[in-house]
């Protein structure tokens, strides 16, 4: 049925009359109306008594009479009928159709004129509503709208300044486009799609919702999918809507379905992947043609993915990509390797998926080591090495993953490590770097480092590995230094010998350590590697002295402490390494006069004393205390003993230890001391700083500090004066507490030694002997300590009369 124009007018009766008069729409004749529906008939039929009805309406009337068991009557006259025969009123139908055609043409003409930006909002909305209604009635009406060239007029209304008009226009376009390919094509002409996309970003939610509905209809046309995707930002905006929590639920659903439709175009699939919607690309990678698979894999290899995306990709297509590695198509293998490189980098979970679910290790290792006619080109071996490096640095337990059909070898088997080492020596810098990074990952794991160390030792490869310290390629040099850092705690003597036996590498390390600017990982690794080498290796220390290394270390340490180096996460390990390397000097003082001179020249003893107060850096405090212990042990041998007074100047052979008339002598060493020249802890006021460390929560710091303090009680100093010094700085209670707490065997031994020396002083012995916890701790040390500790504990217990002294019973 065709409704009259004014039935869509929301204005007054006078306004309706104006439109009727202006457009000359013919009136509806009573004979056109069905008595039952009161609507214009489309299929008029006549019953037995000559009355005319709409076929569907009269059939319904007859059916209801039969079902209710009532007699058959005419709905108008209520007179009984003999039959239900229906005779088509062809003439009336033709007349109605002609009338409808004239009216529809007139109404379309009205709509055509009213769809103008010069018309009022009211007139435009009338025209749009008219078009919506007739298009909803039948597909033929959509054709009529198209043939009347109304679609471009509707599109023009998107430029209206009225929000109501724009929303109604978008709604009309959606209805016009629905299930009509020709109408979609017309809507898609020119710049219309771009205009509709703009509404997706409009602040008015109603317009956004209508716009996404239009795009959803248009996206059902494959011809328009590419055009929609070509609008800058269209796919990204749709992706945002499809995952939004603030949008209307229907709008979110429409946006998501629109994206599904747009995925029919491969160009759109690539755009979606770039913006995080990966499933369409992964589907094509799994199900597409060989050329499509190649394109998708290659594109995936260039994508920057989040870690969550890497895991999703690994779970979805990881196995497929690994299977491609076994194929003979080099282009496809290269694309697959690049994709695997992307999804395995810097993501432990995706790497684990590739290992456990996709079985990536066997084909990866095979690709690296295969030689001959079946070997990969070197550029692909480099990618394979990169992927393996990514996998290895995921922290997986690689000694449990079998390689090859016999399952006898793993990634850390000696043969595999030897093959890696051989490959490192016979390839170019780029792949060498990746292979070294593989070894870095394997030596960085406590479960695999011992296997790698054993293989490196058996291969004698350490000489070859240190050559890379001088590589001009920064990445290659950095990888080699990190590997050597990981090896140094396990291969210290071998590495020290190699550095001393070759020219240039040690100097190159020092140069790297001393580079100004921000502290980089390479610098921290270099100094940490040096710090892990045997600290009592005199040959290495001498070579470091010859290279001027310690002056560089002191200068670098000063820059860090003064804040001249830019802070980074590597500053702390760098500082710790510098302090540990510098402490090497204190282990060779007795054998290396040059070391003594250097310590004096730079007042290194004072530097270590200051480092005791660097809170929050336990390793620095521990090494500083250890160095001070070494320095203090040398104090007696460095102290200048004054000339004894001439005979007769002493009144008695039992005169005091310090000769009369001689002042300024050290009460501990009985000579001329200073912190700078003889490293005397007392003269350097370092004792109090060490005592402060006795209350540290880190027992390693306490152990080192107590060891340094115990040098004040050694046999080669005045022990009684040492005890008095400790009493003056309130150290005795802390030492007793350490003994009682018994936190470690080392602390027990050192605290027992200190307490035994304290008990030699009568006043202290009286105080300590009345302390039940101390007595108990000494007994426990005597019963359960090691041999040396038990000996010292026994002497201490004799001091407090817990064990009798039987020395007078037996003859000497």
């Amino acid at each position: 049925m065709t409704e009259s124009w004014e039935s869509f007018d929301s204005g007054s009766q006078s306004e309706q009359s104006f439109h009727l008069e202006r457009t000359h729409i013919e009136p509806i004749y009573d004979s056109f109306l069905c008595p039952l529906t009161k609507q214009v008939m489309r299929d008029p039929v006549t019953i037995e008594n000559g009355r005319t009805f709409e076929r569907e309406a009269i059939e319904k009337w007859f059916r209801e009479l039969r079902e209710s068991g009532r007699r058959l009557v005419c709905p108008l006259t209520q007179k009984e009928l003999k039959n239900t025969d229906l005779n088509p009123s062809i003439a009336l139908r033709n007349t109605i159709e002609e009338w409808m055609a004239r009216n529809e043409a007139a109404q379309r003409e009205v709509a055509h004129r009213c769809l103008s930006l010069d018309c009022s909002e009211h007139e435009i909305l009338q025209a749009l509503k008219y078009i919506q209604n007739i298009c909803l009635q039948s597909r033929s009406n959509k054709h009529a709208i198209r043939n009347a060239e109304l679609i471009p007029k509707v599109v023009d209304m998107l430029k209206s300044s009225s929000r109501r008009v724009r929303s109604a226009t978008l709604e009309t376009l959606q209805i016009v486009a629905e299930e009509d390919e020709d109408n979609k094509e017309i809507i898609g002409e020119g710049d219309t799609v771009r205009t509709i996309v703009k509404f997706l970003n409009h602040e008015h939610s109603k317009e956004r919702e209508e716009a996404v509905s239009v795009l959803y209809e248009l996206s059902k046309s494959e011809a328009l999918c590419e055009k929609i995707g070509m609008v800058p930002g269209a796919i990204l905006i749709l992706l945002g809507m499809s995952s939004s929590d603030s949008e209307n639920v229907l709008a979110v659903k429409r946006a998501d379905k629109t994206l599904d439709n747009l995925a029919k175009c491969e160009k759109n699939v690539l755009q979606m992947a770039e913006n995080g919607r990966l499933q369409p690309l992964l589907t094509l990678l799994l199900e597409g043609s060989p050329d499509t698979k190649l394109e998708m894999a290659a594109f995936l290899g260039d994508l920057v993915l989040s870690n969550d995306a890497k895991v999703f990709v690994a779970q979805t297509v990881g196995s497929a990509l690994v299977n491609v590695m076994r194929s003979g198509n080099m282009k496809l293998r290269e694309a697959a390797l690049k994709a695997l490189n992307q999804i395995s980098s810097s993501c432990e979970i995706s790497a684990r998926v590739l290992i456990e679910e996709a079985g990536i290790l066997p084909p990866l290792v095979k690709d690296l080591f295969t030689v001959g006619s079946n070997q990969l080109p070197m550029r692909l071996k480099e990618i394979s090495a990169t992927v393996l490096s990514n996998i290895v640095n995921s922290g997986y337990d690689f000694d449990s993953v079998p390689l090859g059909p016999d399952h006898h070898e793993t990634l850390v088997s000696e043969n595999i490590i030897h093959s890696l080492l051989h490959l490192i020596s016979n390839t170019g810098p780029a792949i060498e770097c990746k292979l070294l990074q593989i070894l870095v990952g394997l030596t960085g794991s406590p479960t695999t480092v011992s296997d790698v160390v054993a293989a490196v030792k058996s291969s004698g490869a350490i000489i070859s590995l240190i050559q890379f310290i001088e590589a001009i390629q920064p990445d290659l040099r950095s990888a080699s230094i990190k590997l050597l850092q990981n090896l140094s705690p396990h291969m210290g003597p071998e590495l020290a010998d190699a550095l001393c036996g070759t020219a240039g590498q040690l100097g190159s390390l020092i140069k790297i350590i001393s580079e100004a600017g921000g502290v980089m990982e390479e610098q921290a690794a270099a100094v940490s590697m040096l710090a892990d080498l045997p600290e009592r290796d005199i040959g290495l220390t001498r070579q470091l002295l010859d290279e001027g290394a310690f002056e560089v270390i002191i200068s670098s340490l000063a820059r860090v402490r003064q804040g001249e180096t830019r802070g980074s996460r590597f500053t702390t390990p760098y500082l710790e390494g510098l302090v540990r390397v510098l402490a090497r000097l204190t282990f060779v003082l007795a054998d290396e006069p040059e070391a003594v001179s250097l310590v004096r020249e730079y007042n290194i003893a004072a530097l270590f004393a200051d480092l005791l107060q660097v809170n929050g850096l336990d390793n620095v405090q521990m090494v500083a205390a250890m160095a001070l212990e070494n320095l203090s042990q040398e104090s007696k041998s460095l102290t200048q003993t004054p000339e004894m007074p001439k005979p007769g100047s002493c009144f008695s052979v039992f005169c005091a230890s310090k000769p009369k008339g001689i002042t300024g002598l050290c009460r501990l060493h009985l000579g001329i001391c200073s912190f700078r020249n003889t490293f005397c802890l007392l003269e350097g006021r370092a004792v109090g700083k060490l005592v402060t460390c006795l209350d540290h929560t880190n027992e390693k710091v306490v152990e080192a500090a107590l060891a340094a303090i115990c040098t004040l009680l050694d046999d080669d100093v005045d022990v009684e004066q040492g005890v008095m010094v400790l009493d003056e700085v309130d150290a005795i209670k802390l030492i007793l507490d350490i003994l009682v707490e018994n936190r470690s065997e080392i602390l027990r031994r050192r605290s027992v030694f200190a307490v035994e020396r304290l008990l030699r002083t009568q006043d202290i012995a009286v105080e300590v002997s009345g302390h039940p916890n101390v007595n108990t701790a000494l007994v426990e040390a005597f019963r359960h300590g090691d041999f040396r500790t038990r000996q010292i504990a026994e002497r201490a217990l004799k001091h407090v009369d817990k064990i009798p002294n039987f020395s007078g019973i037996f003859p000497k």
Side-chain angles (χ1 to χ4, degrees), residues 789-800:
T789 303
R790 292 178 64 186
Q791 280 188 319
I792 301 171
E794 181 181 359
R795 290 202 302 268
L797 288 169
K798 287 178 180 180
H799 289 314
V800 293

Side-chain angles (χ1 to χ4, degrees), residues 481-496:
I481 292 173
K482 283 189 279 187
L483 173 59
L484 294 172
Q485 178 198 3
N486 290 348
L487 293 174
S488 57
H490 312 277
M491 296 183 64
E494 295 89 345
L495 189 51

Side-chain angles (χ1 to χ4, degrees), residues 247-264:
E247 294 286 348
N248 177 279
V249 175
L250 180 60
V252 171
K253 188 174 180 180
R254 285 280 169 85
D256 196 58
K257 288 186 175 181
T258 303
L259 289 166
D260 288 341
N261 291 339
L262 294 180
K264 299 172 202 170

Side-chain angles (χ1 to χ4, degrees), residues 466-628:
I466 67 170
Q467 303 298 322
F468 292 110
I469 293 174
E470 295 185 286
I472 59 174
Q473 296 84 4
D475 289 345
L476 179 58
R477 184 183 66 233
S478 179
S480 71
I481 292 173
K482 283 189 279 187
L483 173 59
L484 294 172
Q485 178 198 3
N486 290 348
L487 293 174
S488 57
H490 312 277
M491 296 183 64
E494 295 89 345
L495 189 51
D497 290 344
L499 287 170
C500 290
T502 56
Q505 281 79 34
L506 196 56
S508 296
L509 272 178
I510 302 305
K511 184 178 179 181
I512 291 167
I513 292 169
S514 64
E515 289 178 355
V519 177
M520 306 303 291
E521 184 179 15
E522 183 182 32
Q523 291 174 279
V527 75
S528 296
M529 185 265 282
L530 270 183
D532 282 331
L533 300 183
E535 55 200 10
R536 298 182 186 274
D537 188 320
I538 297 178
L540 178 59
T541 302
R542 282 175 179 163
Q543 189 152 343
L544 287 169
L545 284 166
D546 293 341
E547 295 277 355
F550 293 107
E551 289 88 344
V552 169
I553 295 295
I554 293 167
S555 175
S556 299
L557 190 54
R559 288 202 308 272
V560 173
R561 296 187 67 213
Q562 292 166 9
E564 293 180 15
T565 56
R566 294 189 297 274
S568 78
R569 60 193 176 99
F570 303 110
T571 300
T572 295
Y574 180 66
L575 175 60
E576 291 175 352
L578 291 173
V579 174
R580 289 173 64 199
V581 174
L582 185 60
R584 291 184 66 90
L585 286 172
T586 69
F587 288 93
V588 298
L589 295 171
D591 303 301
E592 191 56 59
E594 189 178 346
V596 176
S597 298
L598 196 64
V599 173
R600 286 172 169 170
E601 180 181 354
Y602 289 95
N603 199 11
I604 291 175
L607 173 59
F608 283 125
D610 288 342
L611 290 172
L612 288 174
Q613 298 175 304
V614 180
N615 294 325
L617 297 178
D618 294 3
N619 289 337
V620 170
Q621 292 177 294
M622 178 186 68
V623 174
M626 189 185 306
L628 287 172

